[in-house]
Amino acid sequence: MLLTEEQRLLRDSARAAIAAKAPIALWRKLRAENDEAGYSRDFWRACAEAGWAGVLIPEAYGGLDFGLVGAGLIAREMARTLAASPFLSTAVLVASAVKVGGSDAQKAFWLPRIAAGEAVISLGVDEEPRHDPARIGATAAETPQGWRLNGAKICVLDGAAADAFLVAAKTDGETALYLVEAKARGLSRTPRRLVDDRRVATLRLDNVEARREAKLAGGAALIEQILDAGRGVLAASLCGVAEEAFARTLAYLKQRKQFDRTIGSFQALQHRVAIMHVNIENAWSATLKALQTLDSGAADAPLQIAMAKAKAGEVGRTATAECLQLHGGIGMTDEFDIGLFLKKARVEAELLGDPAYHADRVAAMLGY
Amino acid sequence: MLLTEEQRLLRDSARAAIAAKAPIALWRKLRAENDEAGYSRDFWRACAEAGWAGVLIPEAYGGLDFGLVGAGLIAREMARTLAASPFLSTAVLVASAVKVGGSDAQKAFWLPRIAAGEAVISLGVDEEPRHDPARIGATAAETPQGWRLNGAKICVLDGAAADAFLVAAKTDGETALYLVEAKARGLSRTPRRLVDDRRVATLRLDNVEARREAKLAGGAALIEQILDAGRGVLAASLCGVAEEAFARTLAYLKQRKQFDRTIGSFQALQHRVAIMHVNIENAWSATLKALQTLDSGAADAPLQIAMAKAKAGEVGRTATAECLQLHGGIGMTDEFDIGLFLKKARVEAELLGDPAYHADRVAAMLGY
Amino acid sequence: MAIDRRELREWLEANCPAEMRQPIRGDEDICWGGRHFVFQSPAQKLWLERMAARGFTVPTWPKDYGGAGLTPEDAAVLGDEMRRIHARPPLTSFGISMLGPALLKFGNEEQKRRHLTRIARGEIRWCQGYSEPGAGSDLASLRTRAEDRGDHFLVNGQKIWTSYADKADWIFCLARTDPTAKKHDGISFLLIDMASKGVSTKPIVLISGKSPFCETFFDNVEVPKENLVGKLNRGWDIAKYLLTHERGAISGGGLNVFDNEALDKAARAAAKAAGGRLPDPVLRADIARAAIDSYAAAATVQRYMQEATAGGELGARSAVLKYDGAELNKRRYELLMSLAGAEGLTFDGNFGPESELAQRWLRSKGNSIEGGTSEIMLDIVAKRILELPSE
Amino acid sequence: MAIDRRELREWLEANCPAEMRQPIRGDEDICWGGRHFVFQSPAQKLWLERMAARGFTVPTWPKDYGGAGLTPEDAAVLGDEMRRIHARPPLTSFGISMLGPALLKFGNEEQKRRHLTRIARGEIRWCQGYSEPGAGSDLASLRTRAEDRGDHFLVNGQKIWTSYADKADWIFCLARTDPTAKKHDGISFLLIDMASKGVSTKPIVLISGKSPFCETFFDNVEVPKENLVGKLNRGWDIAKYLLTHERGAISGGGLNVFDNEALDKAARAAAKAAGGRLPDPVLRADIARAAIDSYAAAATVQRYMQEATAGGELGARSAVLKYDGAELNKRRYELLMSLAGAEGLTFDGNFGPESELAQRWLRSKGNSIEGGTSEIMLDIVAKRILELPSE
């Protein structure tokens, strides 16, 4: 489970670059300006230049081909400063899908553009508030020219900024992904702002016509495969959130005084913090192991990813809440940063399945 | 939710009498002697003289008619010294059943004998290791003379000592209770010893013939009703277990020194103990309220009893384990008493449905 | 002489405007009073005036100070009768709930006459200045200073978490008058007119959005000596008295934190939408456990209250309730958010139906901080109820 | 010169009796050695003798003291090759795992020659005398006294939790040699022959039934001065060194506490019996969460071990593993008991299949006490890893 030399380099350079180019101040600025995309295009360009937009894309298409451990390391570092970007939607979810299920033409067209940070594409799977990729109501009817898509999608990440969408739809009970451009007639989107200031959109498809090639190969299996990639990367991001909130809290505990004592010297707080440390360590171990397993292509990768997402989601949520509590009143103010991690953890724990959802899957996969 | 003057008197006199007549030393003596009944007949006689064996039995049949709050108060006091007796099996479960579902003749015969401590009768419902009164496989076939019973029952409380059994069996899908004497032909029992040294039996009914009057009125509804009485009283007993273990632990924390300090002065332990106190207070409040509601006959009594049994079971298990941990190594020795409470809590949390079982019922009763 | 329930009932019936019998929909329906208060309707103003005229805004206060001089039992009758017709409280204020009790116990005659009557009539709105950025749980370490300048105190410092300071006319606050004394012994209790030169406020935005909280700054504020309540340097006694009062109010009055109805309802709706059971069995298990724990905690509230009424004292048991209510409410909002899924995540920093759940969820995180942190409550339980030793 | 793996493989193949390649079924299959040990079979004796002759019972110890003088890497090769043929360890003892490392580091030449060789050959069985009834987590507060009587120490006191004291030939223990010094500074490390006059033992029955633990009493026991290891009054250094060793063994070697297989299997069996899913959805949720937490904790073990091997140090991280493994194992046994329902409650105080689950459940409660309580582990994590300040 040791990181390779390249992975360590990637992590260290990402940490330095993100701290310099996307500090929390940038997140606050975007929020204050009510930026429609919710991320800085300059920062995303810098990510592309560093190769991160193409972290999963084969070198032949201009990517780094660094695997999911690499993607997780980047997401974990981005989380530490709340750096917003279409990394998850475009570089992880959609890049994985096109790489595996796209035609040669789609790959040749989209992958270099994604790697270059020029195209933002969003995945539309969920239709219900609670993640459940098994429940797809959107339909793709075959037409002489290709497909006619109908339905609605919610919580589509970066949906307002996207140039195109990868949408899950059903034809006679068979689910597949369809790539449709944002400007397609009949496609409309309503932007929404989440509690961590992430921008999503609700998508409506009203007789959207797509060409025959719009359909990706791989069907429902491909969807599960890319969702697992996204879940693994989200787990890594959740670890970054928890680790950063924890580090800040530890520093606060060592400096804040009450009752003439550093509050970090109170044993009741020490034990809670120690337990939190154990949990955060475990979340990262689980995530790293699951990502390595997914990269290796082993058969039990879906089980491990479900476990890692459940664990990281749970730890992300509880650790950030505990960190806020340990800050006391100041933590409740918007001016202070610690609450921002709580918000981000809640959103990422929810996306692509919350801890309860994955625990249920784990039980089923383990045969009980 | 205040206790009445009579209830307070009952509680106080029970506490004094039990401490005098059935201290933990008696429990250890019975265990060492491997007593077949698992309880002291002298003590049970004393209970009958105090009226506790008839706590639920109408005065006309020689009982105190004190209601389930009264029964709960007695069970809670018995728990503090691990006083063993057929109180739950006979005075609560079977007395309730005969009182409600028995014929006049059955009442006239059995209730005075139960109240006098002369008859021990056990309830046989469960057939599977996890409590589930909906799954009854035992059968009662109608015969010219009455009923022919077949089947098996497990974990029948005081089953080795019982003079008779009240057995749940099915006839064409309808479940009812049947009163059969222990000496009935075809009835056999295998005694087992539980981890808290409670004696139960596995029962086999092999073409046991019972008279027509053996069948109690009330069917499955009566079974649920008496099970609820038993659950409420078990919840009260669990409160007594947790409260006593807690009181002993508190005393230990105030006396034991490590690192030149009374260990009760360590803030990490103080907070854990404080949380335990809150939980134990809540378990008792829930239990008392549910017993009062059951006595009042309100429609939501089953829901409240399920909640109380789940809460008291959970708190009983976790608090006794926490108490053991706070004692350190000495708590692990058989010579020391604290571990005995852990054992009793585990058994009583399990009997008539564990916290998970009742939480599931609560969800169903609340409509989700 | 006990109150005449029949007369009271008739009077309320005749004098409580119909509008004032509607349920309170939000903060805007609450009558806070004060110099700058804008009545939401003529009925709201009339109801206040009529009730104040009979001393019913503060029924247990002496008649001389604007009250009705009722016994607690008679005041309970008044409460009953008001609830019977769903009458709204005519006036809500920290003057009534916090400063009043302190002045009645520690104030001099002139202070009582001057301030209590205006509180009773809703003329002056008060806020409370206790916490400071460096003095939260350890309130007595406060650093706002009041220097003796002969006929006045010169006050400098900063308060935080002063609810509605931007809307209040006066503030009652704690300030250090003897920096050389031990920390509890050098604090005094002062009344300060917010219109004084050098007082300024700044609203606090919470993670959940806008809030009634403010920071309050004192920059060379001159406070007349007559505004000292109680003895010089003995302000901590008053503070302790009021903190107990406040905690009682939070745990006793703020009982909605024990109410599981919202969660039950949401779970039932989700189950219904799925045609039976909640589809996610793990979430369902957590929700059932929260329902059980809420039931048990609410039973403890009921038991403690009844035992207190029957002659005991709530005393340190309020710490049990404060702790438990706060932790339960946080847990409940976590589950409500999980039930809502992506729908619950929408939030734009403003109030409104789309942001409401996330806003409430975030706000609930403050439950275990305000009015004494959960950690302080556990300390109180350990030391005062369980009598565990200090180091 | 690295070990010759091929030669080793052939030697093992030729010398390890077939019986000694069977899985260990219980304590009776373990070869503990010692004066009173009864070999379970000729094969067990032969295997010990052959391995001891090559120094393979303690492969990294110097040849002079009965070892094979292997490097850790070569010893790992030996371990690999033994595992390959499922060879049982020829000898297990506290002499090898605990006293040996201490003597190698702190003993004098004569002590090493005398004791280490006998340990290596399984001739002498040792036990450890550290804990006392009044000295558990606070081990240094021990009160067993060793008075200097010229040519010997006179030892009086009591030890507790001495595993297999009733079967051991010698005990290594801590005793106070300077009652006037600060508590860590007056302790010495002594070796005592259990056959000495005045030594007695009494087995401890646990809540889970019989146990290897004993109480050990010293009543005016005369211990020759030559049995002092290290310097007088510096025994705490040795104790600390060994405690670190022990914790490493528990968290590193005792990894079965991270194995969730038994729980998974039981859950699967119950689900199968019910024709699909576990019938109780709430219990199922708890079991799934335990599986997830076990996976995550086991991943941390793996990560820490690999990072330690790659040049880091396990160090205080062993406290993370010790804490987590113990808490997880307790939780797992609670769930196994719940799954088993009434079947799991059967217990008659003796070992046997009917009592086995309850017995293991009860025994698991000791996991968070022995080898350093969970509370001590959290203190270590807080102070040594997170560097939080003392008061």
Side-chain angles (χ1 to χ4, degrees), chain D residues 174-327:
Chain D
L174 297 172
R176 189 160 302 283
T177 36
D178 182 356
T180 64
K182 278 200 295 175
K183 67 179 181 183
H184 295 87
D185 296 342
I187 293 170
S188 297
F189 192 97
L190 297 180
L191 308 179
I192 303 178
D193 189 333
M194 295 292 281
S196 313
K197 187 157 173 280
V199 179
S200 60
T201 65
K202 187 183 149 201
I204 295 175
V205 180
L206 294 184
I207 54 173
S208 47
K210 281 181 215 152
S211 85
F213 297 116
C214 296
E215 291 177 281
T216 302
F217 303 90
F218 301 106
D219 182 17
N220 286 322
V221 177
E222 295 184 10
V223 177
K225 280 277 176 80
E226 68 201 49
N227 290 356
L228 169 71
V229 179
K231 295 205 187 106
L232 188 71
N233 295 328
R234 302 306 307 161
W236 189 249
D237 298 341
I238 310 178
K240 264 200 309 190
Y241 175 76
L242 279 187
L243 282 176
T244 314
H245 223 265
E246 182 186 6
R247 202 157 292 142
I250 283 177
S251 58
L255 291 184
N256 61 333
V257 292
F258 292 95
D259 182 1
N260 203 56
E261 189 50 33
L263 181 56
D264 280 342
K265 233 167 116 175
R268 232 184 325 259
K272 209 173 160 192
R277 278 199 175 183
L278 263 187
D280 190 322
V282 180
L283 181 57
R284 179 174 170 276
D286 288 346
I287 292 172
R289 283 195 173 121
I292 291 166
D293 290 343
S294 288
Y295 168 74
T300 295
V301 175
Q302 201 183 344
R303 178 161 70 87
Y304 280 8
M305 293 300 171
Q306 290 180 7
E307 287 174 5
T309 309
E313 269 244 337
L314 188 57
R317 281 180 156 189
S318 66
V320 169
L321 305 184
K322 167 69 176 70
Y323 168 80
D324 212 20
E327 297 301 323

Side-chain angles (χ1 to χ4, degrees), chain B residues 1-2 254 261 265 267 270-271 273 275 278 281-282 285-286 289-290 304 307 311 359-360 363 366-368, chain C residues 267-268 271 284 287-288 292-293 295-296 299-300 302-304 306-307 323-324 379 383 386-387 389-391:
Chain B
M1 291 178 64
L2 299 174
K254 289 176 185 178
R261 282 170 57 175
S265 74
Q267 199 202 22
Q270 289 188 344
H271 280 200
V273 169
I275 291 171
V278 174
E281 286 288 284
N282 286 346
S285 305
K289 190 177 166 76
Q304 292 196 31
M307 286 176 154
K311 183 76 187 173
D360 182 44
L366 286 173
Y368 51 81
Chain C
R268 230 183 326 257
R284 178 174 171 276
I287 292 172
I292 290 165
D293 289 345
Y295 168 74
T300 295
Q302 200 183 343
R303 178 161 71 86
Y304 280 9
Q306 290 180 8
E307 287 174 6
Y323 168 80
D324 212 21
D379 279 339
K383 303 245 162 64
L386 305 177
E387 297 176 337
S390 295
E391 288 151 34

Side-chain angles (χ1 to χ4, degrees), chain A residues 87-105:
Chain A
F87 183 72
L88 176 64
S89 62
T90 304
V92 175
L93 291 166
V94 169
S96 300
V98 173
K99 182 172 72 173
V100 178
S103 65
D104 288 345

Side-chain angles (χ1 to χ4, degrees), chain A residues 1 281-282 285 289 304 366, chain D residues 268 295 300 304 306 324:
Chain A
M1 288 179 64
E281 286 288 284
N282 287 346
S285 305
K289 190 177 167 77
Q304 292 196 32
L366 287 173
Chain D
R268 232 184 325 259
Y295 168 74
T300 295
Y304 280 8
Q306 290 180 7
D324 212 20

Side-chain angles (χ1 to χ4, degrees), chain B residues 142-170:
Chain B
E142 207 160 355
T143 64
Q145 292 73 37
W147 307 96
R148 182 176 301 121
L149 300 167
N150 275 290
K153 298 289 171 186
I154 67 163
C155 209
V156 178
L157 299 173
D158 303 311
D163 305 301
F165 296 93
L166 204 49
V167 174
K170 264 188 172 156

Side-chain angles (χ1 to χ4, degrees), chain A residues 1-2 246 250 253-254 261-262 264-265 267 269-271 273-275 277-279 281-286 288-290 293 304 306-308 310-311 314 355-356 358-364 366-368, chain D residues 260 263-264 267-268 271-272 276-278 284-285 287-289 291-293 295-297 299-304 306-307 310 317 320 323-324 374-376 378-379 381-383 385-391:
Chain A
M1 288 179 64
L2 299 174
F246 185 73
L250 208 54
L253 289 171
K254 289 176 185 177
R261 283 170 57 176
T262 310
S265 73
Q267 198 202 22
L269 302 193
Q270 289 189 345
H271 280 201
V273 168
I275 292 170
H277 173 71
V278 174
N279 289 334
E281 286 288 284
N282 287 346
W284 173 241
S285 305
L288 178 59
K289 190 177 167 77
T293 306
Q304 292 196 32
M307 286 176 154
K311 183 75 186 174
E314 188 66 33
H358 286 295
D360 182 44
R361 290 177 71 223
V362 164
L366 287 173
Y368 51 81
Chain D
N260 203 56
L263 181 56
D264 280 342
R268 232 184 325 259
K272 209 173 160 192
R277 278 199 175 183
L278 263 187
R284 179 174 170 276
I287 292 172
R289 283 195 173 121
I292 291 166
D293 290 343
Y295 168 74
T300 295
V301 175
Q302 201 183 344
R303 178 161 70 87
Y304 280 8
Q306 290 180 7
E307 287 174 5
R317 281 180 156 189
V320 169
Y323 168 80
D324 212 20
S374 280
E375 290 74 23
I376 294 287
L378 293 177
D379 279 339
V381 173
K383 302 246 162 61
I385 298 181
L386 305 176
E387 297 177 336
L388 284 162
S390 295
E391 287 151 37

